[in-house]
Amino acid sequence: MHKNRPGYLFFFIPFALSSLLSDTPALSYIIAWLGSFYIFYLTWFSKNRFIKNDLPVASQIMRPIFLLQLIFAGFMCCTSIFYFLDHLGYEYFVKVNPGDFVPNEQTYLIAKCQRICLLAHISLVWGMLYYSSLKKPKTIYIFQEKQSDLYWLRIALFFYITAIGFQFLPGLLQFSIYFNNMAIFSASLLLLKGLRTKKTLWIVYGTTMFGLNFINATLTGFKEHIIVNVIILFALLFPYYKRVITLASIPTIYILLYILPTYASIVRQSWSGEKTAVEARSEALETIFQEDNEEVIDNTNWGFLTNRFSEIGMFTQYVAYVPAHHDFYKTEIIHNALIALIPRQFYPNKPITEQVAMERVYEAGVVSRLSLVSAKTRPVVDAYLSFGYIGTFVFLFLFGCCVQFFNDTAERWFGGYEFGCIVIFNGCFQGLWRGNNFEFMLNNMLYGFITMVIVFRVLLWTGYLTKKNL
């Protein structure tokens, strides 16, 4: 890392300026929104950028400071612009409300929420950088890599078979999810390694497994599953095909945001059982490629961009509710999250985590108790609901420290960035990319780390890893 980097207090400049202009909510919002791009600039592009120098920048973009920060902070901070434009009377950057805009109570709430999100972004990055600056153990582990094509295939198949096995063990389904994620990342990595070394077996395996997973993602009705697959592929290919991926990324993102909301909403019809997932997918594709579908897609997409892609609208409801109508939750949410960590085998009467997490959603009036919609809180919301601005700073700082710890430990245990970060860290902790409520995030952190320990011990025992002292 650069020795002459500016102090961390530089990160607070947009937050301080936005707070000083809180009486001018529209301007305050814009400064806070642009503040996240300022943080991206400081950490990625500035002369004194805050990244490690052990690898070229393009070859480490799946580390938390790049990929997780982009997805987590991008979703939390940057997507709110659509909701804000809608509030100002615009639709797709075209003014549809002929009257002059007059700030109201909601405008102030939007600006306040954006400032809280910016504070959370700053805290997240601070946590990552703080842990990165600490001294680490000098013992690392390296792979005893062999020339056989079967070497990496054995590891990839181990993840895949183990994922299937955990599906049949009561109470251990979440381990199946982690191993399945690692299997997907392993297949993607094998595809990349096959392209680089021109090994046909790796290319065939990687293409087949990644392709099957992508096809399955198109049947789920969840937009995120498709987007995640695209992110994985682009992130892995970028270091070696920079120009192609750069040119392809913008139109790909545009196309995904344009068609996915309509596509997913139609595929979800299969959830009611009236149609199969395959039938719903076919209908979705027909709708998208119809010549007269533009109005349908536009209406669906603007609703998605303002109320689903961005969740700041729901955030304003929480901020209006706490502390004006409900005291800060203090340690209650953390207490619930700790209870959720206990396996049900040891606590048969443990409250259902989903119901516990949804209770504060109902209390704030974000979703009706009669609704079947699941609208769980995000980390910044739970942090604010617990202790306000202080909670936002402390909890997101600790979150940044944790993700950096998980990544650095994975790289130290599993032979460096390529396998440790790409496959193990992102496979076990992919759920942290976007974030969830505290109950589910702490669960992912604990059991994701346990999964990482299990894989480490197995590979050490089988001779794939050996210890090396620096």
Side-chain angles (χ1 to χ4, degrees), residues 9-59:
L9 290 178
F10 277 77
F11 283 71
F12 266 101
I13 292 175
F15 176 76
L17 184 57
S18 178
S19 299
L20 289 173
L21 295 171
S22 60
D23 289 337
T24 311
L27 182 58
S28 178
Y29 167 86
I30 291 298
I31 292 174
W33 183 73
L34 291 173
S36 284
F37 294 94
Y38 172 74
I39 304 302
F40 290 140
Y41 168 76
L42 284 182
T43 51
W44 299 343
F45 303 113
S46 70
K47 188 182 300 184
N48 300 312
R49 57 193 177 195
F50 293 74
I51 59 176
K52 293 182 179 179
N53 295 324
D54 59 332
L55 292 171
V57 173
S59 298

Side-chain angles (χ1 to χ4, degrees), residues 161-304:
I161 295 170
T162 305
I164 295 175
F166 272 119
Q167 291 180 6
F168 299 97
L169 298 176
L172 298 179
L173 180 60
Q174 62 184 339
F175 288 105
S176 175
I177 296 173
Y178 301 144
F179 277 96
N180 185 65
N181 287 342
M182 288 187 286
I184 295 169
F185 278 103
S186 295
S188 305
L189 182 60
L190 269 176
L191 173 59
L192 174 64
K193 292 170 75 70
L195 292 172
R196 286 160 50 192
T197 60
K198 298 182 180 180
K199 292 187 176 181
T200 304
L201 185 60
W202 288 359
I203 295 175
V204 171
Y205 178 85
T207 303
T208 302
M209 297 304 295
F210 185 85
L212 289 174
N213 181 70
F214 186 83
I215 292 171
N216 182 64
T218 65
L219 297 172
T220 62
F222 291 105
K223 298 176 287 291
E224 288 183 14
H225 291 183
I226 298 175
I227 293 173
V228 163
N229 279 273
V230 174
I231 289 173
I232 292 172
L233 188 62
F234 276 26
L236 285 174
L237 294 177
F238 179 75
Y240 308 97
Y241 308 96
K242 297 183 185 69
R243 184 177 180 82
V244 173
I245 297 301
T246 301
L247 292 175
S249 60
I250 295 178
T252 300
I253 292 171
Y254 175 80
I255 292 171
L256 287 176
L257 292 180
Y258 183 71
I259 67 173
L260 277 182
T262 302
Y263 177 88
S265 65
I266 296 175
V267 171
R268 289 180 183 184
Q269 294 175 8
S270 65
W271 294 358
S272 63
E274 297 178 1
K275 299 179 181 178
T276 66
V278 175
E279 290 172 340
R281 180 178 63 184
S282 298
E283 182 180 331
L285 292 174
E286 288 178 8
T287 301
I288 288 169
F289 290 110
Q290 285 175 356
E291 293 184 1
D292 58 348
N293 68 350
E294 187 173 345
E295 184 176 352
V296 174
I297 293 179
D298 285 348
N299 291 337
T300 302
N301 286 5
W302 188 244
F304 163 73

Side-chain angles (χ1 to χ4, degrees), residues 334 337-338 341 432 437-447:
I334 288 295
L338 294 174
L341 296 177
L432 303 181
N437 58 40
F438 281 0
E439 288 90 345
F440 288 99
M441 283 184 65
L442 261 65
N443 188 280
N444 186 179
M445 289 181 182
L446 175 62
Y447 291 102

Side-chain angles (χ1 to χ4, degrees), residues 8 30 65 102 154 169 172 264 290 315 319 385 414 416 419 429:
Y8 289 170
I30 291 298
I65 197 68
V102 178
R154 290 194 195 102
L169 298 176
L172 298 179
Q290 285 175 356
F315 193 9
V319 173
L385 291 180
F414 296 97
F419 191 71
F429 303 103

Side-chain angles (χ1 to χ4, degrees), residues 392-449:
T392 301
F393 179 81
V394 172
F395 284 127
L396 270 296
F397 175 83
L398 293 175
F399 175 62
C401 289
C402 286
V403 295
Q404 196 63 48
F405 162 74
F406 294 139
N407 178 78
D408 290 0
T409 302
E411 291 193 26
R412 187 164 53 86
W413 284 0
F414 296 97
Y417 168 79
E418 190 171 69
F419 191 71
C421 172
I422 294 176
V423 176
I424 303 298
F425 168 73
N426 286 295
C428 289
F429 303 103
Q430 184 186 311
L432 303 181
W433 282 4
R434 179 177 169 183
N436 208 322
N437 58 40
F438 281 0
E439 288 90 345
F440 288 99
M441 283 184 65
L442 261 65
N443 188 280
N444 186 179
M445 289 181 182
L446 175 62
Y447 291 102
F449 186 70

